[in-house]
Amino acid sequence: MMTRLFSALCLTALSALPLAAQSGHTQPAVAQVMPGWVQPNGNRVVGLHIKLAPGWKTYWRAPGDAGIPPRFDWSRSRNLRGVAISWPTPGVYPQNGMRTIGYKDEVVIPVTIAPRNPGKPVRLRVGLDIGVCEDICVPYQMEVSAVLDSTDTKPTPAIAAALADRPYSGAEAGVRAAVCKLSPKGDGMEIEARLSMPSTGGREVVVIEPGQPGLWMSETDVARSGGTLTATGDLVPTSGSAVAIDRSAITITVLGAQRAVEIKGCAPG
């Protein structure tokens, strides 16, 4: 199965790794487009399949302080109106005294594609600018391309499984309330998120994404007391000037041993 998947690979590696790594026999990552299926509304669900060399990891959309956030360039695609990425639940890994959030071995990232002209082929050409880690973390660039012209409507099992691996929504996970308190601190603000929700199992990690440009968010300190999970961290404007915080744009993700939960927005505290 894996051999057949990678036989269709169209990949150019433009590595930013040190020369010694570039000249080795093993690339830290390879990628391909899984063509997926067509939805009744004409959109197409595809997968970006990233396979990592043994011992290497790559990052989730919010990678942690030690990570490199992934970026995708869709601009050279044709008949493409828009994309929506669905991130599978990531793992949490220690990295040089800090934590990184991402994936090891391999990951299929589902992408819903809206064509400009439904029913016509989509020529997908995607630049991937990702971080990869073994003992250290480095940027790595790849390009994948594919002509999407199949009319198949049957879901691809690997992509469907990745879609099913998304975090639960707040409603699905029984979140009763999400409140964010903001307090001035140094050059920015301290944010305290109080979540009324059942435990997700084990030692819980909480990631807060501001959801608006110009803000850097630190890792959070997390404590649980019964049915309340509290996460505290720092929000700092990257420009040095004051920024109004839109609580409705904030995304809070709780990563536990049993499940992950994604909460959209929080009320004033």
Side-chain angles (χ1 to χ4, degrees):
M1 175 65 175
M2 193 62 66
T3 302
R4 186 169 73 252
L5 285 173
F6 279 91
S7 66
L9 179 64
C10 180
L11 169 69
T12 302
L14 307 170
S15 175
L17 289 171
L19 182 60
Q22 292 186 45
S23 60
H25 295 294
T26 302
Q27 294 175 298
V30 292
Q32 71 164 353
V33 176
M34 301 176 73
W37 67 94
V38 179
Q39 297 178 312
N41 62 1
N43 290 346
R44 180 182 292 273
V45 181
V46 304
L48 293 179
H49 183 190
I50 300 173
K51 184 171 176 61
L52 298 149
W56 289 81
K57 304 179 188 71
T58 192
Y59 296 110
W60 184 53
R61 64 175 190 242
D65 283 352
I68 300 169
R71 301 185 186 279
F72 304 96
D73 180 6
W74 310 89
S75 62
R76 289 191 287 177
S77 300
R78 297 291 180 266
N79 191 28
L80 181 64
R81 180 169 56 85
V83 299
I85 297 175
S86 300
W87 291 93
T89 297
V92 180
Y93 306 100
Q95 184 75 34
N96 299 325
M98 294 182 284
R99 69 174 182 232
T100 59
I101 302 174
Y103 310 96
K104 64 179 181 179
D105 299 329
E106 64 181 317
V107 60
V108 175
I109 302 173
V111 181
T112 301
I113 291 175
R116 291 188 181 277
N117 297 301
K120 300 292 185 180
V122 174
R123 297 184 179 274
L124 199 64
R125 191 171 181 181
V126 189
L128 288 78
D129 192 350
I130 65 175
V132 291
C133 274
E134 189 180 34
D135 296 323
I136 59 171
C137 302
V138 292
Y140 193 73
Q141 296 176 337
M142 297 180 288
E143 184 176 280
V144 293
S145 62
V147 176
L148 306 175
D149 55 4
S150 169
T151 58
D152 193 359
T153 59
K154 182 179 180 181
T156 304
I159 303 175
L163 283 169
D165 191 32
R166 64 170 177 80
Y168 289 89
S169 69
E172 291 169 334
V175 176
R176 299 179 297 280
V179 176
C180 291
K181 178 182 177 182
L182 297 170
S183 307
K185 181 181 179 181
D187 295 332
M189 284 170 284
E190 179 181 84
I191 180 170
E192 180 188 83
R194 297 192 306 275
L195 310 172
S196 299
M197 60 181 290
S199 172
T200 59
R203 183 176 180 181
E204 295 167 298
V205 171
V206 178
V207 180
I208 300 176
E209 298 171 81
Q212 57 190 107
L215 287 170
W216 173 83
M217 180 69 214
S218 73
E219 293 183 358
T220 62
D221 295 321
V222 180
R224 176 174 281 281
S225 177
T228 300
L229 185 66
T230 303
T232 306
D234 296 332
L235 272 173
V236 181
T238 55
S239 64
S241 58
V243 177
I245 305 299
D246 179 4
R247 287 179 173 83
S248 68
I250 291 173
T251 299
I252 303 171
T253 305
V254 182
L255 301 170
Q258 297 173 358
R259 61 185 176 276
V261 181
E262 186 173 280
I263 302 159
K264 298 290 189 180
C266 55

